Amino acid sequence: MLRNIPENHPRAKSLQIRELLVDGFRSGIVVEEGLIAHGRGEAFDYLIGEISTEQALKAMKSAVALMILAERPVISVNGNTTCLCAKEVVKLAELTSARIEVNLFYRTYEREVAIERLLKANGAKEVYGVGSRASATIPELMSDRRRVDPDGIYTADVVLVPLEDGDRTEALVKMKKKVIAIDLNLLSRTSQKATVTIVDNVVRAMPKMVQLAKQYAHLQESKLQKLAYGFDNTKNLEKSLQYILKGLKSRD
Ligand code: ATP
Ligand code: MG
């Protein structure tokens, strides 16, 4: 149940997101550490003015085109992502023929099942990576994030990893996969290592990516390729940093 947050409260949207996460925590989907990780995200969101920047939109376009062009795209979800955007995850998966896989840093069977249940309540037909299905291992990775589904992330060519940690991003890139990250912290190792980094809040990025996937459904392959590969992640991150610095300077 969402607590009573006045609609005209200047921080209403941000407070509503917090309440959603607290409810997700109470229902066993989100872990304590996930609440803290959200706080780090919020701090960066403040710096970008809580909007989807031009750079974020460019990255989203490349990301969605990559997913449509992929042979085996997978959306990797954790507790926070499912709690905040289960509906959009399912929709984007449908539109890009992607599989959805549960992948957790703090893995328990109960939590995997709770996440699977919420995804299915939002229309997911199949959810990968739950229980014994996560039987393959990402090399060189020590955390529980290494356990993946042989029919999901392990054999994927493009993986969307909203709210990821840097280690696994790097390990997935080493496995020659294209990794799309959504991370408000443009300085994180995840952001630096991913193939495409969307510096935006998942809450804003996911619905926009669903819209783009609808728009791109009938786009010619050559146009999709241009969108997918005509993108420079290093340059884009640099521009995002400049955007933040300019915003801070203008407050002098
Ligand atoms: P790295 O290993 O990549 O340097 P980390 O593993 O220390 O980073 P985590 O603590 O795992 O980072 O947190 C995941 C990331 O998700 C954080 O960088 C945080 O900024 C970001 N984040 C949290 N909530 C959101 C959100 N709602 N939208 C987008 N990004 C978010
Ligand atoms: Mg980390």
Side-chain angles (χ1 to χ4, degrees):
M1 262 297 282
L2 292 187
R3 256 67 60 197
N4 191 16
I5 299 166
E7 275 303 321
N8 61 354
H9 188 288
R11 310 284 313 140
K13 183 76 193 143
S14 166
L15 295 177
Q16 282 159 4
I17 297 172
R18 284 188 184 176
E19 290 304 324
L20 259 179
L21 285 167
V22 169
D23 284 343
F25 171 70
R26 294 200 172 119
S27 60
I29 287 175
V30 172
V31 283
E32 286 95 334
E33 292 82 354
L35 299 177
I36 298 169
H38 181 74
R40 173 143 68 206
E42 279 185 341
F44 280 95
D45 211 4
Y46 233 103
L47 294 176
I48 62 169
E50 295 172 319
I51 54 149
S52 298
T53 64
E54 192 189 320
Q55 285 72 41
L57 268 169
K58 260 193 198 157
M60 283 181 226
K61 288 178 180 174
S62 167
V64 172
L66 273 176
M67 289 180 76
I68 295 174
L69 288 169
E71 268 171 39
R72 294 178 65 85
V74 171
I75 303 177
S76 172
V77 295
N78 65 357
N80 284 33
T81 305
T82 310
C83 172
L84 294 175
C85 23
K87 196 175 81 190
E88 289 79 11
V89 165
V90 174
K91 199 75 207 145
L92 185 63
E94 238 172 64
L95 290 163
T96 59
S97 306
R99 295 173 185 200
I100 304 171
E101 176 164 342
V102 178
N103 184 271
L104 308 174
F105 192 88
Y106 302 99
R107 201 180 251 277
T108 64
Y109 182 62
E110 290 71 28
R111 198 152 84 90
E112 289 167 30
V113 170
I115 290 171
E116 177 183 35
R117 208 179 297 129
L118 184 54
L119 289 164
K120 288 198 166 162
N122 280 278
K125 287 184 191 66
E126 195 167 8
V127 176
Y128 291 76
V130 176
S132 58
R133 288 184 80 156
S135 60
T137 305
I138 302 177
E140 293 174 43
L141 203 60
M142 286 309 153
S143 77
D144 256 357
R145 285 271 209 193
R146 73 182 182 281
R147 287 169 49 198
V148 289
D149 196 316
D151 297 319
I153 291 170
Y154 195 72
T155 44
D157 52 352
V158 173
V159 192
L160 171 64
V161 290
L163 320 190
E164 183 60 53
D165 59 274
D167 298 6
R168 196 169 73 121
T169 305
E170 199 170 2
L172 290 171
V173 170
K174 269 194 192 159
M175 289 172 83
K176 306 263 179 270
K177 299 178 193 306
K178 292 193 167 57
V179 178
I180 302 160
I182 305 176
D183 193 338
L184 279 161
N185 179 3
L186 71 172
L187 304 174
S188 75
R189 287 174 310 140
T190 303
S191 296
Q192 304 294 323
K193 298 286 176 191
T195 319
V196 174
T197 308
I198 299 162
V199 182
D200 202 357
N201 198 317
V202 273
V203 170
R204 291 189 300 269
M206 288 298 292
K208 289 200 172 70
M209 290 171 78
V210 168
Q211 282 311 316
L212 287 171
K214 281 183 191 160
Q215 276 176 34
Y216 292 175
H218 304 291
L219 216 56
Q220 279 172 3
E221 187 153 331
S222 61
K223 292 207 169 128
L224 282 172
Q225 278 174 348
K226 220 170 159 188
L227 285 163
Y229 304 117
F231 175 82
D232 184 332
N233 206 42
T234 312
K235 234 188 221 164
N236 195 268
L237 283 172
E238 179 55 34
K239 279 191 179 165
S240 301
L241 183 60
Q242 291 307 326
Y243 179 87
I244 290 176
L245 292 173
K246 208 170 142 201
L248 287 173
K249 278 198 186 128
S250 71
R251 297 175 71 93
D252 285 348

